[in-house]
Amino acid sequence: MPKPTDTDSPAIQGDIRLDSSVKSTMYYIGGVPVHFPFVPYPSQLGMMNHMIRALTKAQNTMIESPTGSGKSLALLCATLAWRQSFVVRQRKMQENVRQIITRFCMHNTMLLRSRYGSNGTDADPDKKPDADPDKKPDAMETDAWEKPDILSNNYSFVTLQARAQTLQSETVDFILDTSKKQTLVGLSKDDLTTLGEYQNAGKSATQRPRIFFGTRTHKQVAQLVNELRSKTPYRLRTAVLGSRAQTCTHPKAKRAESVDDTCRQLRDDNNCGAYTGFRRVLGSKKLAEGGELEIWDLEDIVSVARPLVACSYYASRELAATAKLVFCPYNYILDPAVRKAAGIELEGNIVILDEAHNIENAARDAGSFEVSDLQLASLAHECSGMFDHGILRNEHLVLKSLADTLAAWLQRDGAAFEYCDYETQTSVWPKPGCSVDTLLTDLALTPDYISQVKSAQAKIEDYIASLRTQSNEHGPEDPELLPRDKHVSAGALRVVEGLLRVLKHVAHGSKFATDFRIAVVRHPNPELRTSQKRKRQSVFESKPAFINTLSFWTMNPGVVFSEIAEQTRSIVLTSGTLSPLDSYASELQVDFASTLEANHVIAPSRFCALAVECGPSGVRLEAKYRTSDQLEFQDDVGEAIRAIAARSPDGMLVFMPSYALLNKLIARWEATGRLAEIRSHKTVFVEPQGGTKDQFDKLLLSYRKHLSEPNETGAVMFGVFRGKVSEGIDFSDHFCRTVVNIGIPFPAFKDVKVMLKREYNNEHTMLLNGSKWYDIQAFRAVNQALGRCLRHKDDWGAIIMLEARFVQNANIARLSKWVRGHMRVFGRFEDAKQYLDAFYDERISEDAKDMPQVLDAEENVTIVLDE
């Protein structure tokens, strides 16, 4: 273990402060002083060392660390400590370079004058000074820069030296080039070596890397902010990017079906006083450096903005522009349109993506684009209105023509669909006899026409920007600002922007042209399914029976991810369940120079992992499509669940590959009485298919409340892999003592996107073949479900695979490292049950020893539900 140094966090060099009120210990890890709030676990030391080495070498890396191992805290401390150390090294190098340039100027006056004097031929009088984050313009230096010595018609020595220092990079290049031709007086070999290092560093010699920390949900962002604020001594300017739904306080927008659309309309109509006053938040002392909310979450900025009648959404974006550390859901980083709208600049910066097990799918979704005929009709309608008002008539006519052409083609009669299921019909290009190029030509989407659309879009955006500038100049009281009938909506422009982005990629000659599939998807209009749906405004007199969607599906997540990798200094992918790791580099088209699979912090004696081949009656437990219909299989799985539920204390989770199998088994057990037997041991909860977030939250709350109250039965929650229960929810301690997995959740074999992706991978030899890609998706979902229990070092629990295929070593090898190294294989259920009973008895006995025999009334524990 690195040698610790006890400290009360004294101030150190750099632009990140240490809070002396937060006790920490300093460890030197990878040559970097890291301040950590307690003695780190070995897995945390490994993570921090791995992280620091990757950042130092400007490499990309992957880190898998089980939930409960302190991953978030280790990542935050390592990244901020590295950045602090990097800035200190930058400042030392810049100071050394300044001193070397000063010596050069003193001893090589003629060379200095030839370079920067008025007679010098190479000097660029218009060149801007080098950006120096630490240096403020000096008045004398600025005057010297601007004013030549009038009497001599030349620059003075002081002026020349100031110019040489201000154009530091140019001066370093000049000195090094000159040193190859002649000996420079006053400079040593070490000096030239230092200048060479500075030159090789390029922009990184002066740029302070910013950190963008992305995770899956707003709730996880809040957890990261709390970790940084409450557990680490690091203090710096941070920001959180969130949605309007999380931050908007306007009563009309909050009640609206779409907060985003209503917010934009209120803003453009100048009917939101909070928007016009969002800059009031920026001056809040609470959010300033050293303020009580210097490290803030979305709830904090809303609390600051509300009494000021200011918009926290736009304030957070403004604050993010200058923050050293920005937290956000990772779609803000992946999606090019969202990234642009949020003003996120990745050049030379660090991107950390937590909960990255779904990053391949998320990147494919971010690179894809879909637009319905209803959206196209709305775009055409808005452009027609602008034309009638005489506003940029030619430009709006171009966009209207595009929308009309695509909508008419989507709604054409006699279209053939090669993929059909119960409700949805799909046609995909390229297809035999019609390439993507042919399709684009048929739709008149030629390069020249696309160029016209792009030009029209740019002029319209400039026009709207000028309207907004006028609005800001007149002030919020002017009722005539940005009238709604003077410009198209932001939603209409997003449709055009999305079309232009994907058309650029699918165009002939694009390096990503073969990575897309263009599809037309036709499905019933959901608004006709029930009269209870809220009526929406439509440009149609009556609602159409079908919705037609034009889809541009990218098969290659590297379309968006490789662009991110080209800009950033380092990308870090991390999750509790990245395994299997095989596909990330090829799928994302990014070189990951290193990977780390960390061990769990939980002692092996506190958890067990079992794979069972046969059920209580000897039926082979293989939940494939055919065998899952056999009644003997369904009954034996039910008996196995009953037997486990009878012995498992507290909470229990059971995961299945699909809602179809879940519903089938529940129905069978209900009919045979097996479900009643399970209920005699556990209160049963079943994850619903579909439903709203509020409905699921109520179900989860009921499950937790039941387990928090004194009872003898405990509870079991039945869910599906990739469902709400299996991802992102903490079932620590008594909320889950047992996880049971049934089957292997392969993606739907006949899903159109799945079939296209498998075909695409088979066509590209640089990728994993379609079958291997297909398998990896299943095992990642299994690993994610396994991580629902065992959430901290004192937790305990059992993992049971009721699936014969997990007795095979090849399948065990695809599980996360912390599981596969402890998996025990049993052919007979009775043997597995005997081992499991012994484990439960031991753990329950240990818990009883640790539990106080008598509790005073004042010592009653209050359970706070994490909802």
Side-chain angles (χ1 to χ4, degrees):
M1 177 178 291
K3 184 178 179 181
T5 303
D6 290 328
T7 176
D8 285 325
S9 304
I12 61 172
Q13 272 190 308
D15 57 358
I16 298 176
R17 295 174 294 105
L18 292 176
D19 186 347
S20 59
S21 68
V22 180
K23 187 73 174 179
S24 68
T25 301
M26 188 177 73
Y27 298 84
Y28 276 94
I29 303 175
V32 171
V34 180
H35 293 260
F36 208 72
F38 51 79
V39 178
Y41 303 134
S43 61
Q44 288 177 315
L45 286 172
M47 276 187 279
M48 289 191 284
N49 183 58
H50 188 87
M51 185 85 169
I52 287 169
R53 290 181 182 278
L55 295 178
T56 300
K57 297 178 181 179
Q59 294 175 338
N60 305 317
T61 189
M62 291 188 286
I63 300 175
E64 180 184 66
S65 182
T67 301
S69 58
K71 166 171 58 72
S72 299
L73 189 61
L75 292 176
L76 285 168
C77 289
T79 306
L80 295 177
W82 174 85
R83 188 188 182 282
Q84 181 80 320
S85 176
F86 181 79
V87 169
V88 170
R89 292 197 304 272
Q90 274 186 328
R91 288 177 169 175
K92 288 180 179 178
M93 174 180 281
Q94 287 174 321
E95 181 56 34
N96 289 338
V97 169
R98 288 191 190 104
Q99 293 177 7
I100 293 170
I101 291 176
T102 298
R103 291 199 295 274
F104 167 78
C105 292
M106 292 177 62
H107 296 285
N108 300 273
T109 309
M110 294 303 296
L111 287 173
L112 176 66
R113 197 170 294 282
S114 71
R115 179 65 180 177
Y116 294 121
S118 61
N119 297 323
T121 57
D122 294 332
D124 181 0
D126 296 321
K127 182 170 177 63
K128 297 291 184 182
D130 289 346
D132 186 340
D134 297 323
K135 191 173 182 181
K136 296 181 180 179
D138 180 89
M140 184 182 73
E141 197 172 277
T142 303
D143 289 343
W145 171 262
E146 299 291 345
K147 301 173 183 177
D149 185 332
I150 297 175
L151 294 177
S152 63
N153 195 29
N154 213 333
Y155 287 95
S156 68
F157 174 78
V158 174
T159 303
L160 294 174
Q161 181 173 320
R163 176 171 283 194
Q165 292 286 8
T166 316
L167 298 177
Q168 197 171 74
S169 297
E170 184 178 314
T171 304
V172 169
D173 293 343
F174 174 66
I175 293 173
L176 290 174
D177 289 342
T178 306
S179 70
K180 297 173 184 177
K181 305 170 187 175
Q182 66 184 78
T183 301
L184 297 176
V185 180
L187 300 188
S188 66
K189 285 185 177 181
D190 289 343
D191 290 338
L192 295 177
T193 299
T194 298
L195 295 183
E197 292 173 353
Y198 177 88
Q199 185 184 59
N200 292 335
K203 289 183 179 179
S204 67
T206 55
Q207 181 183 357
R208 305 287 189 258
R210 302 174 68 208
I211 303 158
F212 291 92
F213 203 129
T215 188
R216 202 166 57 87
T217 66
H218 287 294
K219 184 176 180 180
Q220 289 163 340
V221 167
Q223 291 169 348
L224 286 168
V225 171
N226 185 58
E227 289 267 287
L228 175 63
R229 182 164 51 191
S230 64
K231 295 183 180 179
T232 83
Y234 294 101
R235 295 295 177 262
L236 70 163
R237 182 177 289 279
T238 65
V240 179
L241 290 172
S243 67
R244 287 176 172 87
Q246 298 285 325
T247 54
C248 181
T249 56
H250 195 289
K252 183 176 179 180
K254 292 296 286 183
R255 292 194 304 268
E257 185 171 353
S258 172
V259 177
D260 285 350
D261 291 343
T262 307
C263 168
R264 292 187 183 98
Q265 184 172 339
L266 289 167
R267 179 198 67 186
D268 290 347
D269 291 348
N270 200 46
N271 285 330
C272 182
Y275 168 69
T276 58
F278 77 85
R279 287 184 176 83
R280 288 193 287 268
V281 177
L282 310 183
S284 170
K285 292 183 179 180
K286 290 183 178 180
L287 302 175
E289 182 175 313
E292 60 184 281
L293 295 178
E294 178 182 10
I295 298 173
W296 50 267
D297 189 16
L298 292 180
E299 291 183 358
D300 298 322
I301 197 169
V302 169
S303 70
V304 171
R306 195 187 300 273
L308 298 175
V309 193
C311 177
S312 52
Y313 174 76
Y314 284 99
S316 64
R317 292 197 168 199
E318 193 80 8
L319 290 167
T322 57
K324 300 180 180 74
L325 171 60
V326 178
F327 297 102
C328 59
Y330 56 54
N331 69 299
Y332 279 66
I333 298 169
L334 295 179
D335 191 311
V338 176
R339 189 166 70 241
K340 178 183 175 183
I344 294 176
E345 298 289 343
L346 298 180
E347 185 70 36
N349 293 323
I350 297 163
V351 169
I352 303 172
L353 298 176
D354 197 10
E355 299 297 323
H357 48 278
N358 287 327
I359 203 69
E360 293 174 16
N361 294 334
R364 275 201 308 276
D365 290 343
S368 302
F369 180 73
E370 296 183 345
V371 60
S372 71
D373 50 2
L374 293 181
Q375 290 173 295
L376 291 167
S378 179
L379 170 62
H381 179 74
E382 290 190 37
C383 290
S384 180
M386 296 302 104
F387 182 88
D388 293 342
H389 281 82
I391 300 171
L392 296 177
R393 301 185 75 179
N394 290 338
E395 286 74 15
H396 285 105
L397 190 60
V398 170
L399 299 192
K400 180 181 184 302
S401 173
L402 172 69
D404 285 338
T405 299
L406 295 178
W409 179 70
L410 285 174
Q411 296 166 358
R412 71 196 186 283
D413 294 328
F417 297 95
E418 55 266 32
Y419 301 98
C420 300
D421 61 19
Y422 177 66
E423 288 188 326
T424 305
Q425 300 169 298
T426 307
S427 186
V428 180
W429 287 264
K431 62 179 65 178
C434 188
S435 66
V436 169
D437 287 341
T438 301
L439 174 64
L440 296 178
T441 301
D442 291 344
L443 292 172
L445 295 175
T446 63
D448 287 343
Y449 182 69
I450 293 173
S451 179
Q452 291 179 40
V453 174
K454 187 174 182 179
S455 176
Q457 179 214 25
K459 289 181 180 179
I460 292 171
E461 287 185 338
D462 288 345
Y463 163 74
I464 295 175
S466 69
L467 288 180
R468 189 158 288 119
T469 300
Q470 295 171 25
S471 168
N472 292 335
E473 289 173 353
H474 285 81
E477 293 80 13
D478 190 334
E480 298 300 319
L481 302 179
L482 281 182
R484 190 66 182 84
D485 59 355
K486 289 289 184 71
H487 66 92
V488 295
S489 66
L493 287 177
R494 286 199 305 275
V495 168
V496 179
E497 183 180 355
L499 282 169
L500 285 173
R501 176 170 58 84
V502 291
L503 287 172
K504 177 186 71 173
H505 289 320
V506 301
H508 181 74
S510 165
K511 68 176 181 177
F512 296 123
T514 62
D515 296 328
F516 280 81
R517 301 293 180 264
I518 300 178
V520 174
V521 181
R522 178 170 295 175
H523 59 85
N525 188 340
E527 293 198 21
L528 299 180
R529 292 181 178 178
T530 172
S531 60
Q532 301 302 317
K533 292 272 188 180
R534 181 182 298 177
K535 293 183 179 180
R536 301 174 184 172
Q537 292 181 348
S538 172
V539 296
F540 299 106
E541 293 183 1
S542 60
K543 298 185 189 302
F546 292 92
I547 302 295
N548 301 281
T549 302
L550 175 60
S551 302
F552 296 82
W553 295 329
T554 179
M555 302 291 104
N556 176 12
V559 169
V560 297
F561 209 86
S562 59
E563 178 186 356
I564 295 172
E566 288 170 2
Q567 298 179 49
T568 54
R569 176 186 177 89
S570 294
I571 295 177
V572 181
L573 298 187
T574 178
S575 178
T577 51
L578 283 176
S579 296
L581 303 177
D582 309 27
S583 68
Y584 289 103
S586 61
E587 285 287 321
L588 299 176
Q589 295 184 4
V590 171
D591 177 32
F592 290 96
S594 59
T595 60
L596 173 68
E597 293 181 88
N599 291 316
H600 213 304
V601 295
I602 293 177
S605 62
R606 300 189 68 82
F607 76 95
C608 70
L610 315 177
V612 185
E613 184 173 9
C614 297
S617 300
V619 175
R620 182 174 170 81
L621 300 177
E622 198 167 20
K624 292 183 175 179
Y625 179 75
R626 292 180 180 176
T627 55
S628 62
D629 279 337
Q630 297 171 1
L631 298 182
E632 54 268 31
F633 167 82
Q634 297 175 12
D635 292 343
D636 231 21
V637 170
E639 174 55 24
I641 295 295
R642 184 209 63 77
I644 296 170
R647 290 291 287 116
S648 172
D650 303 319
M652 174 174 161
L653 303 177
V654 180
F655 292 107
M656 301 189 191
S658 67
Y659 286 106
L661 180 59
L662 173 59
N663 295 334
K664 186 185 299 180
L665 292 180
I666 293 293
R668 173 64 180 175
W669 300 340
E670 186 80 66
T672 61
R674 189 72 72 205
L675 191 61
E677 294 176 5
I678 295 173
R679 285 194 175 111
S680 69
H681 303 293
K682 301 280 184 194
T683 299
V684 173
F685 297 83
V686 180
E687 177 184 354
Q689 184 173 7
T692 65
K693 181 181 182 297
D694 287 344
Q695 290 171 335
F696 175 74
D697 288 346
K698 288 179 181 178
L699 177 73
L700 186 61
L701 179 62
S702 297
Y703 173 85
R704 291 179 186 262
K705 285 182 69 175
H706 181 79
L707 289 169
S708 299
E709 296 169 352
N711 64 78
E712 298 180 358
T713 61
V716 56
M717 174 80 80
F718 288 92
V720 299
F721 297 103
R722 303 187 187 89
K724 293 184 178 69
V725 175
S726 69
E727 295 204 25
I729 298 178
D730 184 348
F731 291 98
S732 60
D733 300 315
H734 62 286
F735 291 123
C736 180
R737 292 301 186 194
T738 306
V739 173
V740 178
N741 290 337
I742 298 170
I744 300 177
F746 293 101
F749 190 79
K750 293 187 177 181
D751 180 89
V752 175
K753 288 186 180 180
V754 171
M755 289 191 288
L756 293 174
K757 176 60 178 170
R758 293 185 68 175
E759 292 171 3
Y760 172 85
N761 276 40
N762 286 334
E763 294 167 0
H764 293 75
T765 55
M766 64 178 182
L767 301 176
L768 299 177
N769 66 55
S771 295
K772 191 167 185 181
W773 170 86
Y774 185 71
D775 290 348
I776 282 175
Q777 308 312 303
F779 286 93
R780 272 200 196 125
V782 170
N783 285 323
Q784 185 63 15
L786 296 183
R788 293 314 90 208
C789 70
L790 305 175
R791 308 291 290 189
H792 57 85
K793 72 180 183 67
D794 296 321
D795 208 347
W796 65 268
I799 293 169
I800 305 164
M801 318 296 280
L802 293 182
E803 171 56 58
R805 285 168 286 181
F806 277 108
V807 304
Q808 302 168 11
N809 289 332
N811 288 332
I812 294 175
R814 293 173 174 178
L815 299 176
S816 294
K817 178 182 177 181
W818 66 274
V819 177
R820 64 176 180 258
H822 301 278
M823 182 65 71
R824 290 177 176 267
V825 173
F826 293 90
R828 297 180 348 125
F829 180 80
E830 289 79 5
D831 297 334
K833 179 70 165 49
Q834 184 177 0
Y835 180 86
L836 187 63
D837 288 348
F839 171 77
Y840 285 143
D841 289 340
E842 180 181 357
R843 296 306 340 145
I844 292 171
S845 174
E846 289 294 323
D847 279 359
K849 291 179 183 178
D850 296 336
M851 185 179 297
Q853 297 300 311
V854 179
L855 283 176
D856 296 331
E858 296 179 355
E859 296 176 337
N860 289 340
V861 177
T862 300
I863 303 295
V864 179
L865 297 177
D866 183 15
E867 291 297 333

